[in-house]
Amino acid sequence: MTDNQALPEDQVGDQVAGLLLAAGGGRRLGGRPKALLEHRGHPLVEHAVGALRAAGCARVHIVLGARAEDVRARAALDGSVLVDNPDWEQGMGSSLRAGLHSLTGTGARAALVCLVDQPGIGAEAMTRVRAAYRDETSLVSAAYAGVRGHPVLLGAAHWAGIAATATGDRGARAYLREHEAEIALVECGDVARPYDIDTEADLVHLE
């Protein structure tokens, strides 16, 4: 197998973990945590976990923050690893750091990172990005009309560098900007809509 060939499906499943960032408090939504917003009769966090599993991620870690106990009580998250981020109010960067730290030592060689407030991005886009995994040096991003978005796949060789630069709400943005040339873009605009549920106006996207 050459360096640019995809791994067999069973090997990818073992090596690529799903990492769902679901700690946001919904400040612009009246303080309603995004993980518990209802969509098609279920909390958003359940939809995202289901999509990651449908995309082939056998291991899923979920970073919780705002009203974490309510999320644990109200959402069906059996089989997932729940990671508490006490610093969630500092922004998405703290959740990304907590999530990557939780994957250290698990045998995962890459993390497929998704955001809980993007229900328009489902299993098809996640599957495409995950399929571009090669090894722990991989950096892969979904693209929408050529513009980088989520989900992103972060190889384990990059986790320390990402954690060192993930502050505020930037997440991996700064690190990925510095490593732009290494990122494999996977167009997903035909199968996903990358809107965020950030404000009251965005709630029209929920069903």
Side-chain angles (χ1 to χ4, degrees):
M1 184 171 63
T2 61
D3 289 344
N4 62 354
Q5 286 182 314
L7 289 170
E9 181 67 19
D10 58 341
Q11 292 185 34
V12 176
D14 290 339
Q15 296 183 21
V16 179
L19 178 55
L20 177 61
L21 305 185
R27 180 175 50 83
R28 288 181 285 172
L29 290 165
R32 285 177 285 176
K34 295 182 178 183
L36 290 177
L37 292 175
E38 291 283 322
H39 180 55
R40 299 176 183 171
H42 297 277
L44 281 183
V45 66
E46 287 185 18
H47 285 278
V49 170
L52 282 165
R53 294 204 182 284
C57 292
R59 172 182 289 274
V60 176
H61 286 213
I62 308 168
V63 181
L64 302 178
R67 288 174 53 188
E69 289 308 311
D70 287 345
V71 177
R72 290 172 183 268
R74 293 173 51 187
L77 303 175
D78 295 347
S80 300
V81 176
L82 305 184
V83 180
D84 286 313
N85 175 19
D87 301 319
W88 63 270
E89 290 183 278
Q90 295 180 9
M92 184 172 61
S94 67
S95 290
L96 181 58
R97 292 197 306 271
L100 292 177
H101 179 73
S102 75
L103 287 170
T104 302
T106 65
R109 299 185 69 202
L112 180 61
V113 182
C114 301
L115 307 181
V116 77
D117 66 348
Q118 293 188 319
I121 299 175
E124 289 180 281
M126 296 178 192
T127 298
R128 286 187 185 180
V129 173
R130 176 179 166 273
Y133 166 77
R134 299 296 178 265
D135 56 37
E136 62 185 11
T137 68
S138 293
L139 285 175
V140 186
S141 174
Y144 300 90
V147 178
R148 183 157 47 81
H150 282 87
V152 294
L153 184 142
L154 309 174
H158 301 279
W159 292 354
I162 291 168
T165 58
T167 58
D169 279 321
R170 292 188 301 169
R173 196 178 310 159
Y175 186 89
L176 293 177
R177 189 180 300 119
E178 293 175 3
H179 295 79
E180 192 85 39
E182 301 169 46
I183 302 172
L185 293 181
V186 179
E187 181 59 44
C188 294
D190 59 321
V191 297
R193 294 180 297 154
Y195 57 79
D196 300 312
I197 307 296
D198 282 332
T199 67
E200 294 283 345
D202 297 328
L203 296 176
V204 299
H205 292 297
L206 302 180
E207 301 172 11

